[in-house]
């Protein structure tokens, strides 16, 4: 045989058999096409179907549109018809997709047997629940935020079972509600109109990130503070011990001593009252709080407070925002009241502060109710406890003893759809459907109603059931006829009553169908009567609250995380990997400390320290931050989970471990800001998982700004910064037809050479304009892009190695942040994505033409051509190209269901970057062709642009002078990053930030 | 040395499937091109395109219902088949119609074997090609003359796509299809 078969032949056989093996491999994997048996009317394969619903997880219930493909949800976008968020979303709202397809969700109802949980059927589980409820003394239902229909149903179940209901919300606004009741006699949380104000003073509320309704506030703030063409610009002053994201967007900062915001507010009201403003029943009180007193307590000079008060009174459209979560100290209600009094004295009530009757009760649920329930549980007074929409075992300070008391309850039930620290203690798990799979409703404020409808069949991997349906079945089993076959009918029934109470002439059916289509119904709100100040009916102390702890220790500020909230969003990799908007750190926790304090204590950025209070201790790395007072340290909530899922567990620390379980009087809120903490080095050190290269632009005009006084004077038209020039493009080799030539200079341009596909007369030039004066750095665009473009997450260690995959990142540069005295703040945000250069450095270095220039001006990246040399990334001056070092896209089933089928899922070894949402461009072009028309300006909305609450991003064809992007770019503030230096001709025009203070040399 | 080579050869040959050797023997001919495209697998129902599109002249888009408005041409739901086959029992292969009715009675989808497929990094919008006036046969061949389609006879390669794009003046830009 060896005689007959030569080496050459052998190689031939080997080569061919290789091909044969590949073919055989293919042919064993036969791909099946599974058609519908009966086609659903609303689905066309390959075409997206959108449903309107509501996201009950975030703020005041944002209206959303959900894009579904072949019956599965793939992307969430804001509902433009919803008056709260008007089409925009924050980062957290996008991430609901990752909760829907989260592999850690419970796969069926479970019952505890010893240490483990055993899957059971729903029939069995519901039967067990009813049996145990029947026999239990005082069953207690702990509920978090829930819509009006579910809330009503819970109340009926509580009545039928003869039990108690406890509302619990870790991020409660109880002090604000109580202060509003005291000030105006109304039990509500006021609404604040940022948009129509000219001067906003926040006494601590982080209203751009997490506080009450951040999307709405961000939109309002951008409209208020974004410079208009005439140079008018609203102003934000931030008062607080630490700058949260809102503070980074402020124009001035008064770094007060913790707990003194109420006194500063009263002093400002005092100044206004002295000037003749009416302080009503508070006139006498104000007299004892003059600016000198406030200066003594707060550490801010009296003349600064005096001047701010004068400006506040003269502004004509002012607004003071309450202290928010970081003001939950021992005199929280008094502080909130002081801010409301200031608003009333300045005449803002009824204008920028509206005290209507809102019914988001859970939103301001006082902790005192929970505290009482814990005592009852400990004393054996609750025969059964049911928990829905809350995770008290995690979010209540350990000192409150919830876990021990809860363990003593004989029968504990959780409705959690995925494991959490509370359900880990429970005897029966009845996994709730995700909100995208179930019915519900929301009533964010008087007159605004929204239906939550399922956008897809329940994800088949998880045998979940909507809690509404479980409660209905429980009612039936308890012998009380609920009057509805399903929770959908229940919701519909309530909406029928709602409709009957309105003057709508049309029938209910058309009203219901229209509401399902648009996602929101605006009904006549009860007429708001003017609110007037009332004399306080409770004894309140406005003096600074006491802080526990040794004298040399630092004030501890615990605040909600911008990404993870109180920890409820912690099992979503998109949010874990989203860099924090302030620190730019992803995945783990950190404690913020002023650089001077760190130096004094011989600590460096990244040193792991031990934080110790009388109630607990934690080890966490230091992040030095100039935006915090030297006597204060800050720690975000949301980390340190133990039973929350594979992504959340073990990341960071749980700040609540350090706190006492103290209740504020009279609001009943949990006091979170009353401690000093001892900080000592452990000797250990870590490198932060941060995406930040440098926070200093080293005086290169990367993020130039212009002073408001210089606007309109053309001062920014420097060679570096601005330019009114068009966008040039080098067409690249691909566009020209080669023509033979001797190469003599006088032969050019060559006879017969032509543009080929690259004809500027027929092609658009896609470009973007980003107004940095509107951008607040909220990072909603980052998660929107991840969801749209199948951008993977890589994990903490990979981020640390600089392998983060984000196609867009929000860079943050420090210019002016000083915690030692009152003064201007200047922090600049720069959303950075591929600049789609007209003369791109990445293109000529690609050996395989994977990076190339498209005729439409986009810097194209062809994944199937890329061989992974990474030359392009090395030659990119903007660091926007990212490389798949591993198969990051192999995600656990069913997370792959979240992939957008219109975008290629990239394998390892491939370079990728922002594509200007090419798939959306193609979709718009396809639609235009089918409709027999040209693509119109505004047809193409990129994912980042769609999500932006500040409306800072505009996209379109810049060759068309009528397009919005061309018109927005035609501005004296326009500049292109690094263009002056390397002639890259970027397709992204930035509009400079506008500052009140003078800036050097136009940047 | 010689012994080692022989051993290696024997081991190599032992690993190879007999089919590969048969393939080598046919190397002299031009058969290589024949084998390269897709697979031939049995369809769950021997659906004859020639009877439907050929003899009965049913428009392609009657069954492939979304070709005009979607990227996907659409595979007919079982209900579409039953629209006719509730009454049409089939003259030539009645046993195949029996299979179809069984699927329908069970409320089960027919797991068709996919024959035509472009790579996953290619976006192929059917509707743009239909809108450009292209006949289905331009890419799918004379389907109305083929009984049971078991394999792709067109190359479905990028060069093949581009030949047409160039001659028709359609875009040659990479990101038209690759994104």
């Amino acid at each position: 045989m060896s005689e007959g078969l030569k080496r050459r032949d052998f190689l031939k056989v080997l080569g061919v058999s290789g091909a044969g093996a590949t073919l055989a491999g293919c042919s064993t994997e036969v791909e099946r096409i599974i058609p519908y048996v009966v086609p659903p009317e609303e689905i066309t394969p390959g075409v997206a179907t959108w449903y309107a619903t509501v996201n009950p997880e975030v703020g005041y219930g944002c209206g959303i549109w959900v894009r579904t493909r072949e019956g599965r949800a793939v992307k969430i976008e804001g509902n433009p018809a919803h008056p709260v968020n008007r089409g925009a979303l924050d980062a957290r709202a996008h991430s609901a997709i990752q909760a829907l397809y989260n592999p850690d969700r419970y796969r069926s109802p479970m019952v505890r047997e010893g240490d483990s949980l055993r899957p059971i059927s729903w029939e069995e589980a519901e039967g067990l629940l009813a049996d145990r409820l029947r026999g239990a003394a005082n069953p207690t239902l702990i509920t978090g935020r829930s819509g009006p229909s579910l809330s009503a149903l819970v109340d009926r179940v509580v009545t039928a079972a003869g039990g108690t209901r406890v509302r619990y919300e870790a991020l409660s606004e109880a002090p604000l509600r109580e202060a509003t009741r005291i000030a105006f006699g109304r039990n509500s949380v006021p609404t604040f109109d940022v948009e129509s104000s000219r001067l906003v003073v926040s006494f601590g509320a982080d209203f751009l990130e997490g506080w009450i309704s951040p999307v709405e506030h961000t939109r309002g703030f951008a409209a208020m503070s974004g410079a208009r063409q005439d140079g008018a610009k609203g102003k934000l002053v931030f008062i607080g011990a630490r700058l949260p994201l809102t503070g980074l967007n402020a124009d001035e900062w008064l770094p007060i001593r913790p707990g003194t915001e109420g006194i500063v507010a009263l002093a400002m009201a005092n100044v206004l009252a002295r000037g003749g403003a009416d302080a009503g029943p508070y006139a006498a009180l104000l007299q004892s709080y003059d600016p000198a007193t406030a200066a003594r307590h707060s550490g801010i000079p009296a003349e600064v407070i005096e001047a701010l008060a004068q400006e506040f009174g003269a502004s004509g459209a002012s607004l003071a925002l309450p202290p928010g979560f970081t003001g939950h100290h021992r005199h929280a209600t008094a502080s909130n009241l002081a801010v409301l009094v200031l608003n009333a004295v300045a005449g803002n009530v009824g204008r920028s502060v509206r005290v209507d009757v809102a019914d988001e009760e859970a939103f301001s649920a006082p902790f005192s109710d929970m505290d009482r329930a814990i005592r009852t549980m400990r004393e054996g007074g609750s025969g059964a406890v049911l928990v829905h929409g809350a995770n008290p075992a995690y979010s209540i300070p350990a000192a409150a003893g919830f876990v021990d008391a809860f363990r003593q309850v004989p029968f504990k039930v959780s409705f959690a759809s995925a494991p959490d620290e509370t359900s880990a203690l429970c005897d029966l798990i009845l996994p709730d459907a995700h909100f995208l799979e179930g019915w519900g409703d929301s009533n964010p404020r008087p007159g605004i109603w929204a239906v939550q409808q399922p956008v897809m069949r329940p994800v088949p991997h998880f045998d979940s059931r909507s809690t509404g349906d479980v409660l209905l079945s429980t009612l039936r089993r308890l012998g009380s006829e609920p009057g509805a076959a399903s929770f959908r009918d229940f919701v519909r029934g309530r909406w029928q009553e709602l409709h009957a109470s309105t003057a709508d002439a049309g029938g209910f059916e058309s009203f219901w169908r229209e509401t399902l289509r648009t996602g929101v119904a605006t009904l006549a709100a009860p007429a708001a009567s003017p609110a007037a100040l009332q004399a306080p009916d409770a004894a309140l102390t406005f003096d600074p609250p006491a802080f526990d702890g040794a004298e040399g220790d630092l004030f501890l500020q615990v605040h909600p995380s911008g990404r993870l909230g109180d920890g409820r969003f912690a099992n979503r990799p998109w949010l874990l990997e989203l860099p924090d908007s302030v620190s730019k750190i992803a995945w783990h926790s950190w404690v913020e400390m002023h650089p001077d304090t760190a130096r004094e204590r011989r600590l460096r950025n990244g040193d792991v320290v031990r934080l110790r209070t009388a109630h607990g201790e934690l080890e966490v790395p230091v992040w030095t931050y100039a935006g915090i007072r030297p006597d204060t340290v800050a720690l975000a909530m949301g980390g340190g989970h133990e039973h929350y899922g594979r992504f959340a567990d073990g990341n960071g620390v749980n700040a609540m471990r350090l706190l006492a379980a103290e209740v504020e009087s009279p609001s009943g809120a949990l006091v979170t800001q009353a401690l000093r903490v001892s900080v000592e080095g452990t000797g250990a050190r870590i490198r932060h998982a941060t995406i930040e290269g440098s926070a200093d632009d080293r005086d290169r005009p990367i993020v130039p700004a212009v002073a408001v006084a210089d606007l309109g004077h053309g001062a920014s038209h420097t060679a570096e910064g601005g330019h009114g020039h068009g966008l040039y493009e080098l067409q690249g080799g691909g566009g020209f037809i080669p023509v033979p030539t001797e190469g003599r200079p006088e032969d050019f341009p060559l006879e017969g050479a032509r543009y080929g596909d690259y004809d500027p007369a027929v092609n658009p030039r896609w470009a973007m304009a980003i107004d940095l004066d509107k951008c607040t750095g909220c990072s909603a665009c980052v998660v929107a892009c991840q969801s749209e473009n199948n951008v993977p997450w890589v994990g903490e260690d990979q981020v640390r190695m600089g392998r983060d995959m984000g196609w867009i990142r929000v860079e943050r540069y420090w210019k002016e942040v000083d915690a030692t005295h009152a003064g201007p703040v200047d922090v600049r945000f720069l959303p950075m994505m591929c600049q789609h250069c007209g003369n791109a450095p990445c293109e000529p270095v690609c050996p395989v033409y994977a990076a190339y220039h498209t005729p439409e001006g986009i810097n194209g990246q062809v994944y199937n051509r890329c061989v992974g040399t990474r030359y392009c990334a090395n030659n990119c001056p903007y660091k926007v190209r990212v490389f798949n070092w591993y198969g990051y896209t192999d995600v656990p089933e069913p997370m792959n269901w979240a992939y957008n089928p219109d975008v290629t899922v990239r394998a390892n070894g491939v370079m990728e970057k922002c594509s200007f949402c090419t798939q959306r461009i193609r979709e718009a072009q396809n639609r235009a062709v089918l409709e027999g028309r040209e693509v119109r300006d505004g047809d193409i909305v990129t994912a980042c642009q769609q999500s932006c609450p500040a409306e800072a991003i505009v996209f379109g064809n810049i060759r068309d002078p009528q397009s919005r992007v061309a018109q927005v770019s035609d501005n004296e503030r326009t500049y292109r990053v690094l263009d002056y230096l390397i002639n890259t001709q970027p397709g992204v025009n930035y509009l400079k930030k506008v500052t009140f203070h003078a800036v050097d040399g136009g940047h | 040395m010689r012994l080692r080579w022989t051993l290696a050869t024997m081991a190599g040959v032992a690993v190879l499937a007999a089919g590969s050797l048969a393939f080598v023997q046919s190397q002299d001919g031009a058969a290589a091109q024949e084998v390269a495209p897709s697979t031939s697998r049995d369809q769950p129902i021997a659906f004859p395109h020639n009877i439907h599109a050929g003899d009965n002249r049913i428009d392609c888009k009657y069954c492939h219902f979304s070709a005009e408005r979607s990227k996907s041409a659409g595979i007919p739901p079982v209900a579409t088949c039953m629209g006719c086959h509730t009454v049409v029992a089939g003259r030539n292969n009645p046993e195949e119609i029996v299979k179809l009715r069984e699927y329908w009675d069970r409320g089960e989808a027919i797991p068709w074997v996919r024959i035509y497929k472009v790579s996953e990094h290619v976006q192929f919008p059917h509707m743009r090609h239909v809108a450009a006036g292209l006949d289905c046969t331009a890419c799918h061949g004379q389907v109305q003359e083929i009984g049971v389609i078991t394999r792709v006879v067109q190359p479905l390669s990028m060069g093949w796509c581009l030949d047409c794009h160039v001659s028709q003046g359609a875009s040659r830009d990479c990101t038209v299809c690759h994104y």
Side-chain angles (χ1 to χ4, degrees):
Chain A
M1 185 175 173
S2 62
E3 293 299 309
L5 194 65
K6 301 224 162 47
R7 187 170 177 274
R8 264 178 72 103
D9 293 333
F10 175 72
L11 286 179
K12 210 151 124 190
V13 171
L14 196 66
V16 169
S17 71
T22 317
L23 279 178
C26 280
S27 57
T28 52
E29 269 180 47
V30 171
E31 190 175 329
R32 299 276 175 180
I33 316 180
I34 312 296
Y36 287 104
V37 178
V38 180
E41 256 175 63
E42 66 275 24
I43 290 178
T44 305
V47 178
T49 311
W50 295 78
Y51 292 95
T53 181
V54 67
N55 185 338
E57 295 178 325
V58 289
Y60 255 159
C62 286
I64 55 173
W65 280 356
V66 183
R67 183 171 183 268
T68 67
R69 274 287 299 272
E70 286 86 39
R72 64 192 167 90
V74 293
K75 173 98 198 318
I76 296 179
E77 299 199 343
N79 178 355
H82 199 285
V84 169
N85 58 311
R86 288 188 267 170
L89 285 184
D90 61 5
R92 293 181 280 199
H94 288 288
S95 73
I97 288 276
Q98 284 203 318
L100 173 68
Y101 297 125
N102 200 301
D104 293 325
R105 277 179 68 175
Y106 284 118
R107 290 182 189 248
S108 71
M110 314 262 255
V111 67
R112 181 164 300 281
E113 277 178 1
D115 281 344
S116 60
L117 291 166
R118 178 175 63 89
I120 51 171
S121 72
W122 274 104
E123 181 59 31
E124 217 180 322
E126 287 180 347
L128 180 62
L129 175 65
D131 286 349
R132 297 296 297 258
L133 276 183
R134 234 177 265 124
N138 183 30
T140 306
L141 264 86
I142 300 173
T143 57
R145 239 178 263 179
S146 41
S149 288
L150 184 61
S151 196
L153 184 55
V154 167
D155 283 339
R156 287 181 61 177
V157 172
V158 168
T159 310
T164 320
R165 177 174 181 183
V166 178
R167 287 192 170 86
Y168 172 69
E169 166 61 52
L171 303 178
S172 145
E173 282 301 329
L176 178 56
R177 180 180 285 266
E178 178 64 9
T180 311
R181 192 197 60 73
I182 293 171
F184 306 111
R186 297 201 179 155
N187 180 19
S188 83
V189 172
T191 48
F192 299 96
D193 181 2
V194 178
E195 185 162 353
S196 53
S197 305
R198 302 307 297 153
L199 172 62
V200 176
V201 179
S202 172
F203 285 85
D206 188 8
F207 66 94
L208 297 181
E209 195 173 60
W211 187 71
I212 296 194
S213 191
V215 176
E216 186 180 21
H217 293 151
T218 302
R219 175 182 295 269
F221 174 73
M224 177 209 78
S225 100
R228 303 186 192 154
Q229 284 290 12
D230 61 1
K233 178 179 166 69
K235 184 172 175 183
L236 170 65
V237 178
F238 191 84
I239 300 181
R242 168 196 176 253
L243 291 179
L245 179 67
T246 304
L248 298 189
N249 283 283
D251 300 292
E252 265 174 55
W253 179 26
L254 273 52
I256 56 164
R257 217 167 272 147
T260 59
E261 61 279 321
I263 293 184
V264 175
L266 289 181
M268 285 173 65
N270 167 300
V271 173
L272 296 180
R274 259 194 288 129
D278 178 19
Y282 291 84
L285 173 80
L286 290 184
Q287 280 174 6
S288 40
Y289 291 98
D290 58 356
T293 313
R296 210 169 50 245
H297 287 298
S298 67
I300 301 299
E303 55 274 19
V304 173
I305 298 174
E306 175 100 26
L308 179 59
Q310 300 291 1
E311 197 182 343
F312 195 76
S315 142
S318 60
L319 170 64
L321 293 169
F325 193 79
T326 52
H328 286 194
H329 45 66
R330 286 172 175 143
H331 299 160
T333 308
S335 285
N336 278 280
L337 180 60
V339 174
L340 293 176
V341 168
L342 171 61
N343 273 315
V345 172
N348 293 338
V349 176
R351 288 199 321 211
S352 54
V353 180
R354 282 189 304 273
V355 193
D356 302 333
V357 184
D359 68 348
E360 270 271 3
E361 285 172 45
F363 200 69
S364 48
F367 177 69
S368 48
D369 293 357
M370 180 54 112
D371 202 36
R372 247 191 316 276
I374 294 174
R375 243 172 297 138
T376 311
M377 285 189 258
R378 195 181 298 133
E379 290 157 6
S382 293
V385 174
L386 284 63
V387 187
H388 177 262
N391 185 10
Y394 168 82
S395 59
I396 295 180
F402 174 84
V403 172
D404 289 337
F406 193 59
R407 278 187 204 278
Q408 290 178 25
V409 176
F411 187 60
K412 306 171 284 290
V413 183
S414 172
F415 291 101
S417 99
D420 60 31
E421 283 76 5
T422 310
S423 75
L425 303 169
C426 286
D427 306 300
L428 180 65
I429 317 277
L430 303 166
D432 192 3
H434 188 265
F435 76 84
L436 293 173
E437 301 167 332
W439 288 89
D441 51 7
S442 110
N443 176 210
R445 64 184 57 147
I448 303 173
W449 289 78
V451 182
Q452 173 200 320
Q453 62 173 322
V455 303
M456 65 183 288
R457 290 260 188 94
V459 181
H461 306 64
F462 313 111
D463 183 13
S464 61
R465 189 171 284 188
S466 152
T467 296
D469 285 319
V470 177
L471 292 181
L472 283 173
S473 128
T474 306
L475 268 185
R476 229 170 275 128
R477 285 165 199 262
L478 291 176
S480 159
E481 182 42 49
S486 67
F487 189 54
R488 175 189 172 277
D489 292 349
F490 186 84
V491 173
R492 205 167 173 279
R494 284 183 48 95
W495 275 68
Q496 235 154 350
E497 288 167 29
L498 186 72
H499 177 254
S501 71
T502 66
D504 182 22
F508 172 72
E509 281 306 325
S510 63
F511 166 74
W512 175 248
R513 217 172 304 128
E514 187 60 13
T515 309
L516 290 183
R517 196 181 67 78
T518 61
V520 66
T522 312
L523 306 176
S529 52
L533 274 184
Q534 298 180 353
D537 60 358
L540 291 173
T541 318
F542 291 88
D543 291 334
F547 283 77
D548 297 346
E551 203 40 52
D553 291 349
L554 301 166
F555 293 107
L556 173 66
Q557 190 183 88
V558 171
H559 59 91
S561 157
R563 303 128 65 217
L564 311 177
D566 62 352
R568 70 186 73 180
F569 299 103
N571 201 36
R572 306 181 187 178
W574 286 344
L575 292 180
L576 285 166
E577 190 147 311
L578 175 69
D580 181 80
S581 50
V582 175
S583 71
K584 296 293 159 197
I585 295 173
W587 290 91
H588 62 84
S589 297
W590 64 93
V591 59
E592 289 169 11
M593 184 184 280
H594 193 273
D596 293 349
T597 313
R599 207 170 303 123
E600 247 168 52
R601 292 169 176 251
R602 296 172 180 280
L603 293 169
R604 289 167 302 168
N605 205 10
D607 278 354
V608 178
V609 294
R610 190 171 297 116
L611 304 178
R612 188 179 289 145
T613 68
H615 313 282
E617 61 176 60
L618 292 173
E619 286 186 12
V620 62
V622 168
W623 179 63
T624 52
Y625 177 36
I628 188 166
R629 280 174 60 95
D631 61 0
T632 307
V633 290
L635 190 57
M637 301 161 81
H641 279 282
E642 285 161 2
H643 301 283
Y644 208 64
R646 67 189 76 182
F647 307 110
D649 291 352
N651 290 318
V653 297
N654 182 0
M656 304 310 273
R657 289 283 172 79
L658 295 176
L659 299 184
E662 191 178 336
V663 176
E664 197 255 355
S665 172
S667 75
L670 176 69
V671 175
T672 53
Q673 327 285 337
L675 300 175
R676 287 169 184 254
V677 65
S678 82
V679 181
E680 56 195 70
T682 60
R685 202 171 147 65
I686 69 150
R687 202 168 139 192
H688 293 304
T690 176
I691 63 149
E692 185 164 47
S694 171
D696 180 0
D697 67 4
R698 298 178 205 266
D699 287 331
R700 294 182 189 124
I702 294 169
V703 273
V706 55
V708 72
D710 293 335
L711 277 181
H713 300 148
S716 63
H717 278 269
T718 61
E720 311 178 335
H723 53 71
H725 313 307
L727 180 58
Y728 297 103
E729 284 185 73
L730 304 187
Q731 305 291 350
F736 299 93
I737 302 289
V739 172
T741 170
E742 295 296 313
R744 292 189 306 269
E746 58 271 26
D747 287 349
F748 290 88
L750 296 168
E751 189 79 19
R754 56 185 177 91
Y755 279 112
D757 280 347
Y758 290 75
D759 188 352
V762 298
N763 285 310
R765 201 314 178 184
W766 303 120
M768 199 174 259
I770 303 181
D771 190 341
L772 300 183
D773 201 39
K774 286 184 173 167
C775 175
T776 66
C778 77
S779 306
C781 49
V782 178
V783 181
C785 173
Q786 238 179 327
S787 178
E788 169 73 18
N789 289 304
N790 302 336
V791 176
W793 67 92
V794 299
E796 182 176 341
D797 290 337
Q798 297 282 307
V799 171
R800 207 166 263 137
M801 282 186 261
R803 294 175 177 176
D804 50 290
M805 293 288 290
W807 281 10
I808 177 171
R809 64 177 183 269
V810 181
E811 296 181 355
R812 186 253 302 111
Y813 293 94
W814 306 123
K815 284 292 179 181
E816 183 79 55
V817 178
D818 190 345
T820 57
H821 60 86
V825 179
D826 188 355
V827 178
R828 303 188 192 157
F829 290 101
L830 181 74
M832 176 54 72
M833 72 290 275
C834 174
Q835 302 288 298
H836 295 278
C837 306
N839 179 21
C842 55
E843 289 165 9
V845 296
C846 180
V848 293
Y849 297 102
Y852 81 107
H853 207 67
T854 80
E856 299 182 347
I858 286 179
N859 177 244
Q861 175 71 14
V862 186
Y863 308 126
N864 42 313
R865 239 185 216 171
C866 178
V867 297
T869 64
R870 313 193 303 282
Y871 296 166
C872 55
N874 289 322
N875 216 33
C876 172
Y878 303 100
K879 198 206 169 281
V880 291
R881 289 181 158 267
V882 290
F883 186 65
N884 289 274
W885 288 92
Y886 294 100
Y888 299 123
T889 43
D890 282 342
V891 293
E893 178 88 20
M895 274 191 141
N896 48 344
W897 285 38
Y899 282 137
N900 181 356
D902 292 335
V903 178
T904 305
V905 176
R906 283 81 60 184
N908 63 334
V910 171
M911 186 62 73
E912 60 183 70
K913 55 154 203 94
C914 163
S915 68
F916 265 174
C917 284
T918 296
Q919 68 281 4
R920 292 185 174 218
I921 298 176
R922 299 294 168 238
E923 197 194 332
Q925 288 170 333
N926 291 345
R927 206 168 49 232
V929 165
L930 292 193
E931 290 170 14
R933 58 174 174 85
E934 295 291 307
V935 175
R936 288 181 298 237
D937 190 38
D939 272 0
I940 305 165
V941 180
T942 62
C944 50
Q945 174 190 12
Q946 201 286 328
S947 179
C948 183
E951 293 189 321
I953 303 177
V954 181
F955 178 83
N957 173 16
I958 205 162
R959 276 211 184 110
D960 171 10
Q962 300 308 314
S963 70
R964 242 190 101 219
V965 67
Q967 299 197 330
V968 170
S969 300
D970 182 18
N971 190 305
E972 60 175 307
R973 293 192 283 129
T974 301
Y975 77 101
R976 294 173 190 147
V977 176
L978 297 181
D979 190 23
Y980 74 101
L981 197 64
I982 45 181
N983 187 34
T984 45
Q985 301 288 338
V988 181
N989 289 318
Y990 292 95
L991 274 67
K992 292 178 194 174
K993 183 181 165 109
V994 181
T995 62
F996 282 101
H997 58 94
V999 284
D1000 305 337
H1003 57 80
Chain B
M1 182 68 201
R2 192 181 168 83
L3 178 66
R4 260 164 63 195
W5 172 236
T6 309
L7 282 175
T9 308
M10 285 173 68
V13 170
V15 166
L16 299 179
S20 299
L21 284 171
F23 186 89
V24 172
Q25 281 151 13
S26 70
Q27 272 282 294
D28 297 330
Q33 283 294 319
E34 285 289 320
V35 186
S38 200
T39 62
S40 138
R41 310 291 288 186
D42 289 341
Q43 293 285 3
I45 295 175
F47 176 86
H49 270 91
N50 58 345
I51 293 178
H52 291 81
D55 300 352
N56 293 318
R57 300 181 182 223
I58 300 170
D59 190 273
C60 306
K61 286 171 292 201
Y62 181 80
C63 298
H64 300 291
F65 55 98
S66 56
E68 281 175 311
R69 54 201 161 96
S70 169
K71 287 175 163 183
S72 160
I75 296 296
V78 185
T80 304
C81 310
M82 289 303 289
C84 298
H85 287 293
T86 308
V87 287
V88 179
R91 219 166 335 161
N92 307 327
N93 303 91
E95 68 279 5
E96 299 296 315
I97 308 299
V98 170
K99 281 194 221 164
L100 167 69
R101 288 174 177 170
E102 283 171 2
Y103 276 110
W104 175 251
D105 290 342
R106 290 197 300 268
E108 204 178 283
I110 305 166
W112 298 110
V113 172
R114 183 165 197 154
I115 303 293
Y116 276 83
K117 185 180 179 192
V118 289
S119 301
E120 303 212 342
H121 52 258
V122 180
Q123 306 278 343
F124 181 84
H126 268 93
M127 74 288 206
R128 286 295 297 270
H129 294 83
V130 176
L134 220 60
D135 199 75
C136 304
T137 56
C139 300
H140 292 284
Q142 300 300 319
V143 170
Q144 73 278 14
E145 293 167 10
I146 307 172
V148 180
I149 300 182
T150 55
R151 66 185 195 189
V152 181
V153 286
Q154 297 79 12
L156 294 193
S157 64
M158 192 170 92
W160 181 73
C161 291
L162 270 173
D163 278 349
C164 189
H165 271 235
V166 169
S167 69
Q168 300 296 313
S171 176
R172 286 172 284 163
D173 179 26
C174 311
T175 61
V176 163
C177 310
H178 300 296
Y179 50 85

